[in-house]
Amino acid sequence: MARQADDRKTLQVAGRSVPLVIVRHPRARHMSLRLESAGAGLRLTLPRRASLSEGLAFAESKSEWIRRQLAAQPARVPFVPGSIVPVLGREHVIRHAPWARRGVWREHGVLWASGLAEHLPRRVTDYLKGEARREITARAQDKARRIEREIRRVTLRDMTSRWGSCGDGRLAFSWRLILAPEAVLDYVVAHEVAHLRYMSHGPRFWALTARLTEDVAGPTRWLKTQGDRLLAYG
């Protein structure tokens, strides 16, 4: 049975208003609290019979844990002029080019964006999503051909708990992989394409993944230690 959103609240933690999404899950046995991606707030999961007041009291009792978790999160990097944003791991500084009529483009370590200043964050986001779609789709199709499997669809999302998924021939990826080093993006694509043949993470799956990308250990380690940084952009 699917989870159902119950309410949206805010918590005051160390003088900061933190968004709180309350979700009820009929199979949950205990209340649980999870910090979402950088700046996205908290998710409180409640069993079916737990009251909203009980859930809020539980969340408030975890204020010290929340404070520590928030302090450990990477600082947000907005898409504004002067911000440094990696594209396939290579740093680019965002610059505004109001005189131009080129949309968004990369040139010598600069990510240029034309148009009105108030539209710049959206334009940069759309550009990065487009680059992610182009890179990921081309790599996924190539790797699928190598193992004689067919991809039914490639979808890009703003995932917060995983970098990719595979089911029934459909692949989904986080668009934020375009911000990661190229080897990391390539590994995630290889990982999900390998699931077209093996859904479990057994020895044959890992052997196939290693055939489809140059490195497995390095990108896996990078995602575990650096992956949260990708969620702080935008």
Side-chain angles (χ1 to χ4, degrees), residues 91-93 95 105-112:
E91 291 188 343
H92 290 71
V93 60
R95 299 291 187 206
W105 73 100
R106 284 180 281 160
E107 189 173 61
H108 306 303
V110 177
L111 188 59
W112 292 100

Side-chain angles (χ1 to χ4, degrees), residues 69-112:
Q69 294 297 311
L70 291 172
Q73 281 193 328
R76 292 203 67 82
V77 181
F79 291 153
V80 296
S83 289
I84 297 176
V85 176
V87 182
L88 288 177
R90 298 179 181 179
E91 291 188 343
H92 290 71
V93 60
I94 296 176
R95 299 291 187 206
H96 186 206
W99 62 88
R101 294 293 183 270
R102 294 181 57 182
V104 180
W105 73 100
R106 284 180 281 160
E107 189 173 61
H108 306 303
V110 177
L111 188 59
W112 292 100

Side-chain angles (χ1 to χ4, degrees), residues 14 18 23 31 33 75 99 125-126 135 138-139 142 147 157 163 166 189 191 198 210 213 219:
V18 183
V23 175
M31 290 182 283
L33 190 65
W99 62 88
T125 300
D126 290 346
E135 285 282 346
R139 292 168 190 259
D142 176 67
I147 63 171
R157 303 172 184 165
W163 301 110
C166 173
V189 174
H191 185 114
Y198 305 114
T213 191

Side-chain angles (χ1 to χ4, degrees), residues 20-21 37 53 56-57 64 101 153 164 167 176 180 185 202 210 213 216:
L20 176 68
V21 175
S37 61
S53 60
L56 292 174
E64 181 58 26
R101 294 293 183 270
R153 183 184 303 170
R176 294 176 180 275
L185 180 147
T213 191
V216 171

Side-chain angles (χ1 to χ4, degrees), residues 4-225:
Q4 295 182 335
D6 187 294
D7 208 345
R8 291 178 181 269
K9 303 288 184 181
T10 58
L11 286 182
Q12 296 297 320
V13 180
R16 175 176 174 181
S17 295
V18 183
L20 176 68
V21 175
I22 299 123
V23 175
R24 293 186 180 275
H25 198 300
R27 286 184 286 197
R29 294 186 176 183
H30 308 284
M31 290 182 283
S32 64
L33 190 65
R34 185 180 74 186
L35 188 67
E36 298 284 56
S37 61
L42 297 156
R43 177 175 291 263
L44 173 64
T45 301
L46 300 179
R48 182 176 55 185
R49 295 186 179 182
S51 69
L52 181 58
S53 60
E54 289 173 328
L56 292 174
F58 172 77
E60 289 170 356
S61 73
K62 301 295 183 181
S63 60
E64 181 58 26
W65 175 84
I66 297 170
R67 186 193 63 78
R68 291 197 304 268
Q69 294 297 311
L70 291 172
Q73 281 193 328
R76 292 203 67 82
V77 181
F79 291 153
V80 296
S83 289
I84 297 176
V85 176
V87 182
L88 288 177
R90 298 179 181 179
E91 291 188 343
H92 290 71
V93 60
I94 296 176
R95 299 291 187 206
H96 186 206
W99 62 88
R101 294 293 183 270
R102 294 181 57 182
V104 180
W105 73 100
R106 284 180 281 160
E107 189 173 61
H108 306 303
V110 177
L111 188 59
W112 292 100
S114 63
L116 298 175
E118 56 264 36
H119 297 159
L120 187 146
R122 176 185 56 78
R123 283 175 174 257
V124 170
T125 300
D126 290 346
Y127 170 82
L128 292 171
K129 288 180 177 179
E131 289 294 282
R133 178 172 297 281
R134 182 176 62 82
E135 285 282 346
I136 289 172
T137 300
R139 292 168 190 259
Q141 294 290 0
D142 176 67
K143 295 178 193 300
R145 283 193 293 269
R146 288 167 57 185
I147 63 171
E148 299 181 340
R149 287 294 188 273
E150 182 178 350
I151 297 173
R152 298 180 65 181
R153 183 184 303 170
V154 175
T155 304
L156 267 66
R157 303 172 184 165
D158 197 3
M159 299 178 174
T160 59
S161 60
R162 60 175 64 183
W163 301 110
S165 65
C166 173
D168 193 28
R170 296 178 173 88
L171 306 184
F173 298 91
S174 168
W175 70 264
R176 294 176 180 275
L177 288 168
I178 196 65
L179 305 169
E182 185 174 357
V184 173
L185 180 147
D186 194 75
Y187 157 70
V188 175
V189 174
H191 185 114
E192 300 308 331
V193 169
H195 277 314
L196 294 173
R197 179 173 289 179
Y198 305 114
M199 286 305 298
S200 66
H201 289 91
R204 292 185 298 176
F205 165 82
W206 288 113
L208 180 58
T209 301
R211 280 175 44 202
L212 293 173
T213 191
E214 292 186 4
D215 186 16
V216 171
T220 301
R221 185 167 55 250
W222 191 95
L223 287 169
K224 286 182 179 179
T225 60

